[in-house]
Amino acid sequence: MSTATLNKTAKLRLGGGKNNAYRGGRKRPSGNGSPTGWIVVRRILIIWLTLAVLAALSVGLLYGYRLATTHPFFGLTSITVEGNQRLTRGHILKTGDVSLGLNSLDMNVAEVEEKLFRDPWIKAATVRRELPNRLWIGVTEKVPAFWVRQGNGLYYADAEGRVIAPVHPGDTESLPMLAVAREDEAVGSLLSSFLGKIGNGEIPISQEQIAWMRVNQGGEFEIFLDGRNLTLRMDADMWEIQLHRIKTVWRDLMERGEFANAASITAAGDKVWVIRRG
């Protein structure tokens, strides 16, 4: 056999078989040695380990929260209440359902504020936790400006005529009586602005001198001054302009010494007239 034939036969034996273990210099992976199964197992182990860690953290956090919300270290030792004038400190604490010893972390600040808002005398309330054991409560109270009648009851009302709360027997506060035949934003603004001008000294009367105020259905605005036994009348829609004219007549009567004889001063349109006592 020639040398060429031997070389060709050797090449066929080394590389030409279909079941050879090597091909192209690399070993063919067998079915039992595939890495896919191990990857799946590893992922499952990682997932289970992650879940176990999360469960342990959850249990730890829950235990820590329960410990913190029952530990005396966070028990309230100081409660500061500011802004109250009419309402007592005890009333505010009772309304907010807070007291010394209550756990600061276990207390829901939003719920305390909501409870305070339900009080008819509280206009605004802010509750602030001061860790570890202090609480601050700030309130803004509604200020009564009038008495109003509703049915058979007498109620306090604010500067815009909005009802606040009933007048209880024994209340000694004296306020003007308010009667409003029509209720709208314009009337509320009128009342508030009128009292504001009194407070600023723009009107030569005090709120204590007013016995009653009334806004009639026809739009007439009336004020009766008890100390002077004098009624002022003007149009509700033009009251600021007409009030300026009434003040001019008022000063004129005072300068002439005739003010005490005036029973009423009425402004309508662009005219003002005085009714003298009979």
Side-chain angles (χ1 to χ4, degrees):
M1 183 178 294
S2 64
T3 303
T5 304
L6 288 173
N7 292 337
K8 183 176 182 180
T9 303
K11 290 181 180 179
L12 290 172
R13 288 177 179 176
L14 291 174
K18 294 183 179 179
N19 296 322
N20 288 338
Y22 293 91
R23 178 176 295 174
R26 290 183 296 178
K27 184 178 180 180
R28 292 181 58 190
S30 63
N32 294 334
S34 173
T36 305
W38 166 242
I39 292 175
V40 172
V41 172
R42 186 175 61 179
R43 289 178 179 176
I44 292 174
L45 288 175
I46 292 174
I47 291 173
W48 277 105
L49 181 61
T50 302
L51 292 175
V53 171
L54 290 176
L57 287 175
S58 299
V59 172
L61 289 174
L62 180 61
Y63 176 78
Y65 173 77
R66 289 182 177 177
L67 179 64
T69 54
T70 57
H71 199 282
F73 178 73
F74 294 101
L76 292 177
T77 60
S78 174
I79 302 176
T80 302
V81 178
E82 296 182 357
N84 57 312
Q85 300 293 328
R86 173 181 295 270
L87 302 177
T88 65
R89 167 188 167 87
H91 176 86
I92 291 175
L93 296 183
K94 183 178 179 181
T95 301
D97 195 20
V98 294
S99 60
L100 294 177
L102 182 68
N103 189 282
S104 179
L105 294 178
D106 191 40
M107 177 186 57
N108 189 319
V109 171
E111 287 184 0
V112 176
E113 291 181 346
E114 183 179 353
K115 291 175 182 177
L116 292 173
F117 277 130
R118 294 174 190 167
D119 190 287
W121 283 104
I122 295 180
K123 183 178 182 180
T126 302
V127 180
R128 185 173 64 244
R129 212 182 340 239
E130 298 177 350
L131 295 176
N133 52 15
R134 299 172 64 88
L135 186 71
W136 181 86
I137 300 175
V139 298
T140 301
E141 295 180 346
K142 297 176 183 177
V143 179
F146 302 104
W147 284 341
V148 297
R149 288 196 176 277
Q150 285 193 348
N152 295 326
L154 189 63
Y155 292 80
Y156 290 106
D158 65 13
E160 295 185 5
R162 293 173 298 205
V163 172
I164 300 174
V167 176
H168 297 293
D171 289 351
T172 59
E173 190 171 9
S174 180
L175 296 170
M177 186 69 68
L178 175 65
V180 177
R182 66 178 218 197
E183 296 184 8
D184 53 43
E185 293 183 3
V187 172
S189 177
L190 181 160
L191 298 172
S192 178
S193 298
F194 186 82
L195 293 181
K197 289 183 179 296
I198 291 177
N200 294 333
E202 298 179 46
I203 304 176
I205 59 176
S206 65
Q207 189 169 346
E208 290 74 19
Q209 291 177 306
I210 302 175
W212 52 260
M213 295 175 63
R214 183 164 56 207
V215 180
N216 299 326
Q217 187 67 42
E220 187 178 52
F221 179 36
E222 294 183 283
I223 306 101
F224 180 72
L225 306 179
D226 193 15
R228 298 183 181 274
N229 198 22
L230 175 69
T231 302
L232 305 178
R233 297 187 181 92
M234 62 202 83
D235 295 329
D237 297 334
M238 301 177 57
W239 72 273
E240 291 187 89
I241 297 174
Q242 293 177 348
L243 180 62
H244 179 73
R245 294 169 180 164
I246 287 175
K247 287 165 59 179
T248 300
V249 173
W250 181 305
R251 286 193 297 267
D252 183 61
L253 291 172
M254 293 289 289
E255 291 173 359
R256 292 189 298 174
E258 299 178 359
F259 185 82
N261 296 326
S264 67
I265 304 176
T266 302
D270 58 353
K271 300 185 181 298
V272 178
W273 65 87
V274 179
I275 297 179
R276 298 178 181 274
R277 306 186 191 282

